[in-house]
Amino acid sequence: CEYDGPSMKTSVPGPRSQELTKQLGEIQNVGAINFFCNYEESRGNYLVDVDGNRMLDIYTQISSIPIGYNHPALLKLMTNPNNLSTLVNRPALGILPPENFPDKITESLISVAPSGMTRVQTMACGSCSNENAYKAMFIWYRNKERGHNTPSEEDLNTCMINKSPGCPDLSILSFMGGFHGRTMGTLATTHSKAIHKLDVPSFDWPIAPFPTLQYPLEEFTRENEQEEARCLEEVEDLIVKWRQKGRPVAGIVIEPIQAEGGDNHASANFFKGLRNIASKHGCAFHVDEVQTGGGTTGKFWAHEHWGMDDPADIVSFSKKLLTGGYYHKYELQADKPYRIFNTWMGDPTKNLILAEVLNVIRREHLLQEVNRSGKVLLNGLYDLQARYPGVLSRARGQGTFCAIDVCSDETRNSILLKARDKGILLGGCGDRSIRFRPALVFKEHHVHMFLNIFNDVLAQI
Amino acid sequence: CEYDGPSMKTSVPGPRSQELTKQLGEIQNVGAINFFCNYEESRGNYLVDVDGNRMLDIYTQISSIPIGYNHPALLKLMTNPNNLSTLVNRPALGILPPENFPDKITESLISVAPSGMTRVQTMACGSCSNENAYKAMFIWYRNKERGHNTPSEEDLNTCMINKSPGCPDLSILSFMGGFHGRTMGTLATTHSKAIHKLDVPSFDWPIAPFPTLQYPLEEFTRENEQEEARCLEEVEDLIVKWRQKGRPVAGIVIEPIQAEGGDNHASANFFKGLRNIASKHGCAFHVDEVQTGGGTTGKFWAHEHWGMDDPADIVSFSKKLLTGGYYHKYELQADKPYRIFNTWMGDPTKNLILAEVLNVIRREHLLQEVNRSGKVLLNGLYDLQARYPGVLSRARGQGTFCAIDVCSDETRNSILLKARDKGILLGGCGDRSIRFRPALVFKEHHVHMFLNIFNDVLAQI
Ligand code: FES
């Protein structure tokens, strides 16, 4: 039921997309619009636009489409009359959940819970998942500080007017190049591009360097170990410094692979070291799997590559998981209701789709497919960078979660546009990287198709 | 197709709800769960629980169900095969919108745009709607300050490390008793209950008193005018003080009726005065209609009761509108793409439902119904407080957006539970208020049914 290749009718955006962009421009800022889509006609790995162009999609709505467009299993799910009431009655899940909520969560999110975690809180997007994970860490930290006694009158009164001790001067330690969201709490831990942060007030929180490694990782183990050791040392220094400043670090947040910030990897040893530093200093350890989670690295969670029994205190997710939320250890559960709360607390419609997506992943052995395609993709990128050493470098990846650097920002952007006009949809990240974010149904023959066309594009540069 | 009244089989929560609460308790905090629902069997104003109890719902999922449960028009919409692709392919709206997006937005959100506003940005919930509205105000304010010149190198470098001038010391002025969300930016402007804010770091932003009026408003015009004048004066003082402190007020945020904070009303003159103060001091004026919007006050937006051509610079919404978002004046549009941005930028499924909800509101003349029911409801509450003067006081409301105070917190909670066991679902707000938040399909005969049962409950107190 999928198409057999890209098919281009116009350059992109075509005339109909341009017309619609103009129409939407009367209503909102359209500077980021790539083109308008015909989602009805899109299938599997192929995104069709309103001008009839059909593109192999290796960006998948900023990495948020798990099993391709219009998967038959999902179409069937959505026409099942038993699910109709879920679609039209959105409940306030925190107070009035539907009967099947515990079962749905058990068969979906709990069935893929990270090692050591049996509890999960649903949310609606990556930002509120992380915001609430931070709040859970702050609450946990303060409860430790006050010896689990009831908050004082002073705590209760000062918090109403945004003042310490009720609103304490605690911090979250994040990493340069990290991205965790754009609401004001998560934005204070985001450091990928200036345009995300400019003009928005922020918090005085510590920011550690993320290791800048040399690729392929296995060829530079000694150099990379040194770089990682330097960064870990800096993390410990910052924790001490911020404690002395009166802004103790309640939690550390990190992505297993920095995505928006340029697909920066680090070794399992680095993450083990970091997790130990967190424990040693009494900080919670929060692994943000919003972009890496859901199978694209070849394991369901990227942190599984670290091989740890106790990888984290909190793991947040969204995007390919369709619902947002976070797993957490029992200690990280807020001590009272309504502390972690909002009107909707997620959306049962998304839980419904997620449960079916997980069925498809198992039935179609998609993690195996990702490992197979990922190997071919990364090897293909190694070949291309050997063939075009002046243009491409630093090919890297885990599963199909791959990236490659281009000699300059301008060349990168021109490659992206040329590839698009030949029917390959890719995304950029960092200063001059190209990131590969196919769906889990991206098979070996799609990789070959991509590599052929990409080679043609590079030959023209 | 609706039921003809409540029907109670057990006390609430019944045995099945208790069992499910225990099951869910293995996965998450269940302290806020009221009971589990059978949404399939719920109809119109009646919410059915898993123990077969049928309740007249005057709380509607924290005021987020616009036209009742399982409205036939929505069931029909969701079985239309043309909409199937929208349900299974969630796009990144900011970069790759579907073909019908401009039309859907025009026929839905733009068709009910507040006076003076032609632009709207969709978001996914009340918190991200307000967070992004704040960001839009900060961006607008800083662009004014730098004379619309490009940001300096210093701006760009400092913002990456959370420091001024890139992350400036700007503030949002909010009101004591206000509620605008629970992510860290909006939480800094929320001051309704300590449990929402305790242990979460915050910003040093100014907080003005919201007028404490005497009800019925028309009987205390002189006293209320004085109180409102006092609050407006305080607002101006705070704006001056925070400018001197080096944390200028970029925007003022306020609800037309403070909802979570206890259903506190203010006069049209107060809001006019506030809007003028905002203009005079160069602050943006943001009206948060997350809870008041969507018709429940008898006009589509509560601020329409002020009778102003230019009521605000930004109006945010969510809940009954199903999608979140905010309207804004042209000046408040960020100057560049990707400044107001996230992966999903809302959800076309919700836009689809909203468009049909607006059709139903027009076709069934629901605003007229709200005005009719609201009058009967408020008069009924006046009668009851005259009959039970030791228990009830301060009945107040606009449309069906009504509230009444109870002599104490404990009595309030016991009334809520007793009413629930008799098949009436209500919510509390503030310290000791009961709030009425029926759907727009709450008709006169529902009001009479409620008043009768409520009278029985009060007779037992
Ligand atoms: S902040 Fe996540 S949906 Fe609004």
Side-chain angles (χ1 to χ4, degrees):
Chain A
C1 61
E2 212 193 41
Y3 299 105
D4 58 1
S7 154
M8 301 303 288
K9 302 265 161 62
T10 71
S11 68
V12 178
R16 178 74 181 130
S17 269
Q18 290 178 30
E19 195 183 304
L20 287 164
T21 306
K22 213 175 136 221
Q23 188 190 343
L24 188 59
E26 298 296 316
I27 299 172
Q28 50 188 231
N29 188 322
V30 288
I33 301 280
N34 291 358
F35 52 84
F36 281 74
C37 303
N38 183 336
Y39 287 104
E40 288 75 15
E41 292 299 316
S42 302
R43 293 277 177 286
N45 293 280
Y46 292 94
L47 179 62
V48 176
D49 79 0
V50 292
D51 290 282
N53 300 300
R54 186 204 303 154
M55 290 161 262
L56 183 64
D57 189 356
I58 315 184
Y59 192 43
T60 60
Q61 313 294 326
I62 321 182
S63 202
S64 69
I65 299 286
I67 54 172
Y69 298 103
N70 288 310
H71 194 289
L74 300 187
L75 294 175
K76 197 170 150 213
L77 179 81
M78 285 293 130
T79 42
N80 182 341
N82 292 337
N83 297 327
L84 198 51
S85 144
T86 304
L87 300 179
V88 302
N89 304 302
R90 187 175 188 180
L93 275 177
I95 57 173
L96 297 163
E99 178 157 23
N100 68 2
F101 184 61
D103 280 346
K104 272 281 159 241
I105 293 293
T106 305
E107 73 179 76
S108 60
L109 289 169
I110 292 296
S111 79
V112 290
S115 169
M117 298 191 183
T118 56
R119 303 184 81 80
V120 69
Q121 185 60 67
T122 54
M123 287 285 156
C125 78
S127 281
C128 44
S129 303
N130 286 336
E131 288 272 342
N132 281 285
Y134 296 177
K135 286 170 69 171
M137 297 193 283
F138 290 132
I139 290 169
W140 164 81
Y141 194 91
R142 282 290 288 149
N143 278 339
K144 273 198 308 176
E145 279 191 333
R146 62 168 82 89
H148 298 273
N149 294 323
T150 9
S152 66
E153 271 304 301
E154 195 191 3
D155 284 342
L156 295 173
N157 292 334
T158 51
C159 80
M160 292 297 279
I161 51 170
N162 298 10
K163 288 210 180 344
S164 173
C167 293
D169 284 328
L170 293 176
S171 61
I172 301 287
L173 182 141
S174 56
F175 289 83
M176 195 48 75
F179 182 97
H180 303 287
R182 291 160 169 275
T183 48
M184 293 180 71
T186 58
L187 191 60
T189 58
T190 286
H191 318 280
S192 41
K193 291 202 187 78
I195 197 79
H196 303 154
K197 293 178 65 78
L198 183 69
D199 297 343
V200 184
S202 195
F203 291 104
D204 178 17
W205 290 355
I207 310 160
F210 190 90
T212 308
L213 302 189
Q214 298 181 58
Y215 301 92
L217 296 178
E218 50 286 7
E219 281 178 30
F220 298 92
T221 38
R222 230 211 16 236
E223 295 87 337
N224 288 343
E225 263 173 31
Q226 278 175 9
E227 167 66 358
E228 292 185 334
R230 178 187 76 87
C231 293
L232 289 177
E233 214 170 284
E234 181 74 14
V235 167
E236 252 190 299
D237 282 358
L238 287 168
I239 293 175
V240 172
K241 218 183 266 172
W242 254 256
R243 191 188 303 140
Q244 285 163 352
K245 257 190 171 197
R247 296 182 178 278
V249 174
I252 297 179
V253 65
I254 195 163
E255 300 153 275
I257 304 168
Q258 285 193 332
E260 297 293 319
D263 272 38
N264 305 317
H265 293 248
S267 73
N269 273 338
F270 173 77
F271 290 104
K272 280 181 195 154
L274 195 60
R275 208 266 177 275
N276 287 340
I277 290 173
S279 307
K280 175 179 160 195
H281 291 275
C283 319
F285 188 57
H286 171 182
V287 177
D288 176 346
E289 294 248 22
V290 168
Q291 190 152 165
T292 49
T296 176
T297 68
K299 296 193 184 277
F300 196 84
W301 302 108
H303 71 251
E304 291 174 51
H305 292 283
W306 310 341
M308 296 168 72
D309 291 336
D310 181 26
D313 299 306
I314 292 206
V315 173
S316 57
F317 55 84
S318 183
K319 290 198 183 254
K320 279 196 176 53
L321 278 282
L322 305 156
T323 175
Y326 63 92
Y327 297 95
H328 60 90
K329 297 191 139 182
Y330 188 76
E331 309 88 90
L332 269 290
Q333 177 167 298
D335 53 334
K336 289 214 174 59
Y338 294 109
R339 301 195 71 172
I340 301 291
F341 191 82
N342 58 50
T343 300
W344 287 314
M345 302 290 271
D347 184 345
T349 307
K350 309 302 178 198
N351 302 346
L352 196 65
I353 306 181
L354 172 62
E356 188 58 20
V357 163
L358 294 176
N359 288 339
V360 170
I361 291 178
R362 286 168 191 135
R363 207 160 55 218
E364 301 185 5
H365 308 289
L366 292 184
L367 293 195
Q368 285 172 38
E369 294 286 351
V370 167
N371 282 307
R372 204 180 349 240
S373 309
K375 244 177 232 138
V376 182
L377 176 58
L378 190 56
N379 283 329
L381 294 176
Y382 286 148
D383 281 354
L384 286 174
Q385 79 183 11
R387 206 176 310 165
Y388 303 97
V391 183
L392 299 180
S393 62
R394 301 179 80 237
R396 56 204 183 271
Q398 226 167 24
T400 55
F401 198 103
C402 291
I404 195 161
D405 280 11
V406 182
C407 51
S408 76
D409 185 13
E410 302 77 53
T411 312
R412 188 257 313 258
N413 296 344
S414 121
I415 289 177
L416 291 178
L417 290 180
K418 284 207 171 71
R420 193 168 73 179
D421 278 342
K422 287 189 187 291
I424 301 285
L425 201 55
L426 290 164
C429 66
D431 294 331
R432 49 194 186 82
S433 305
I434 293 176
R435 59 175 153 177
F436 302 90
R437 295 292 185 272
L440 305 177
V441 292
F442 191 70
K443 307 268 168 82
E444 229 182 291
H445 71 273
H446 298 111
V447 181
H448 289 300
M449 192 182 298
F450 154 71
L451 288 170
N452 282 335
I453 301 177
F454 200 55
N455 189 33
D456 290 352
V457 171
L458 292 166
Q460 288 173 19
I461 293 293
Chain B
C1 60
E2 214 193 41
Y3 298 105
D4 58 3
S7 154
M8 301 305 286
K9 301 264 160 63
T10 71
S11 68
V12 178
R16 179 73 181 131
S17 269
Q18 290 177 30
E19 194 183 304
L20 287 164
T21 306
K22 212 175 136 220
Q23 188 190 345
L24 188 59
E26 298 296 316
I27 299 173
Q28 50 188 230
N29 188 322
V30 288
I33 301 281
N34 290 359
F35 52 84
F36 280 74
C37 303
N38 183 337
Y39 287 104
E40 289 75 16
E41 292 299 316
S42 302
R43 294 276 178 287
N45 293 280
Y46 292 94
L47 179 61
V48 176
D49 79 2
V50 291
D51 290 283
N53 300 300
R54 186 204 301 153
M55 290 161 262
L56 183 64
D57 189 357
I58 315 185
Y59 192 43
T60 59
Q61 312 293 327
I62 323 181
S63 203
S64 69
I65 299 287
I67 54 173
Y69 298 103
N70 288 309
H71 194 288
L74 300 186
L75 294 174
K76 197 169 151 211
L77 179 80
M78 285 293 130
T79 42
N80 183 340
N82 293 336
N83 297 328
L84 198 50
S85 143
T86 304
L87 301 180
V88 302
N89 304 301
R90 187 175 187 180
L93 275 177
I95 57 172
L96 296 162
E99 179 158 22
N100 69 2
F101 184 61
D103 281 348
K104 273 283 161 240
I105 293 293
T106 304
E107 74 179 74
S108 60
L109 288 169
I110 293 297
S111 79
V112 291
S115 170
M117 298 191 185
T118 56
R119 302 184 82 79
V120 70
Q121 186 59 69
T122 54
M123 288 285 157
C125 78
S127 281
C128 45
S129 303
N130 286 336
E131 287 272 341
N132 281 285
Y134 296 177
K135 285 170 70 172
M137 296 194 283
F138 290 131
I139 290 169
W140 164 82
Y141 194 91
R142 282 290 288 148
N143 277 339
K144 273 199 308 176
E145 280 191 331
R146 61 168 82 90
H148 298 275
N149 293 323
T150 9
S152 66
E153 272 303 302
E154 194 191 3
D155 285 342
L156 296 173
N157 293 333
T158 51
C159 80
M160 291 297 279
I161 50 170
N162 298 10
K163 289 212 177 344
S164 174
C167 293
D169 285 327
L170 293 176
S171 61
I172 301 287
L173 182 142
S174 57
F175 290 83
M176 195 48 76
F179 182 98
H180 303 286
R182 292 161 168 274
T183 48
M184 292 180 70
T186 59
L187 191 60
T189 58
T190 286
H191 317 280
S192 41
K193 290 202 187 79
I195 197 77
H196 303 153
K197 293 176 67 76
L198 183 68
D199 297 341
V200 184
S202 195
F203 291 104
D204 178 19
W205 289 355
I207 309 159
F210 191 89
T212 308
L213 302 189
Q214 298 181 58
Y215 301 91
L217 297 176
E218 50 286 8
E219 280 178 31
F220 298 92
T221 37
R222 229 209 19 232
E223 295 88 336
N224 288 344
E225 263 171 34
Q226 278 175 7
E227 167 67 359
E228 292 185 335
R230 177 186 78 86
C231 294
L232 288 178
E233 215 170 281
E234 181 75 13
V235 168
E236 252 188 303
D237 283 357
L238 287 168
I239 292 175
V240 172
K241 218 181 267 172
W242 254 256
R243 192 189 301 138
Q244 286 164 352
K245 258 191 172 196
R247 297 183 178 275
V249 174
I252 297 178
V253 65
I254 195 162
E255 299 154 276
I257 304 168
Q258 283 193 331
E260 296 295 319
D263 272 39
N264 306 316
H265 292 248
S267 74
N269 273 337
F270 173 76
F271 290 102
K272 280 181 194 153
L274 195 60
R275 209 265 176 276
N276 287 340
I277 290 173
S279 306
K280 176 178 158 195
H281 290 275
C283 318
F285 189 57
H286 171 182
V287 177
D288 176 347
E289 293 249 21
V290 168
Q291 189 151 165
T292 50
T296 176
T297 68
K299 296 192 183 279
F300 195 85
W301 301 109
H303 71 251
E304 291 174 53
H305 292 282
W306 310 341
M308 295 168 72
D309 291 337
D310 182 24
D313 298 306
I314 292 207
V315 173
S316 57
F317 54 84
S318 184
K319 290 197 183 254
K320 278 195 176 55
L321 277 282
L322 306 156
T323 175
Y326 63 92
Y327 297 94
H328 60 89
K329 297 191 141 183
Y330 187 75
E331 308 89 89
L332 269 290
Q333 178 168 298
D335 53 336
K336 289 213 174 60
Y338 294 109
R339 302 196 69 174
I340 301 292
F341 192 80
N342 58 50
T343 300
W344 286 315
M345 302 291 271
D347 184 346
T349 307
K350 309 302 178 197
N351 302 346
L352 196 68
I353 306 181
L354 171 63
E356 188 58 21
V357 163
L358 294 176
N359 288 338
V360 170
I361 291 178
R362 287 168 190 133
R363 207 160 56 218
E364 301 184 5
H365 308 288
L366 292 183
L367 293 194
Q368 286 171 39
E369 294 286 351
V370 167
N371 281 305
R372 205 181 347 242
S373 308
K375 243 176 233 141
V376 183
L377 176 57
L378 190 55
N379 283 330
L381 294 176
Y382 285 148
D383 282 354
L384 286 174
Q385 79 183 11
R387 207 176 310 164
Y388 302 97
V391 183
L392 299 179
S393 62
R394 302 179 78 239
R396 56 205 184 271
Q398 227 168 21
T400 55
F401 198 103
C402 292
I404 196 161
D405 281 9
V406 182
C407 51
S408 76
D409 186 12
E410 300 78 54
T411 312
R412 188 256 314 257
N413 296 344
S414 120
I415 289 176
L416 291 178
L417 290 180
K418 284 207 169 70
R420 193 169 73 179
D421 279 340
K422 286 187 186 294
I424 300 284
L425 200 55
L426 289 165
C429 67
D431 294 331
R432 50 194 185 83
S433 305
I434 293 175
R435 59 176 153 177
F436 302 90
R437 295 292 185 274
L440 305 177
V441 292
F442 191 71
K443 307 269 167 81
E444 231 183 290
H445 71 273
H446 298 111
V447 181
H448 289 300
M449 192 181 300
F450 154 72
L451 288 170
N452 282 336
I453 300 177
F454 201 54
N455 189 33
D456 289 352
V457 170
L458 292 166
Q460 288 173 19
I461 294 290

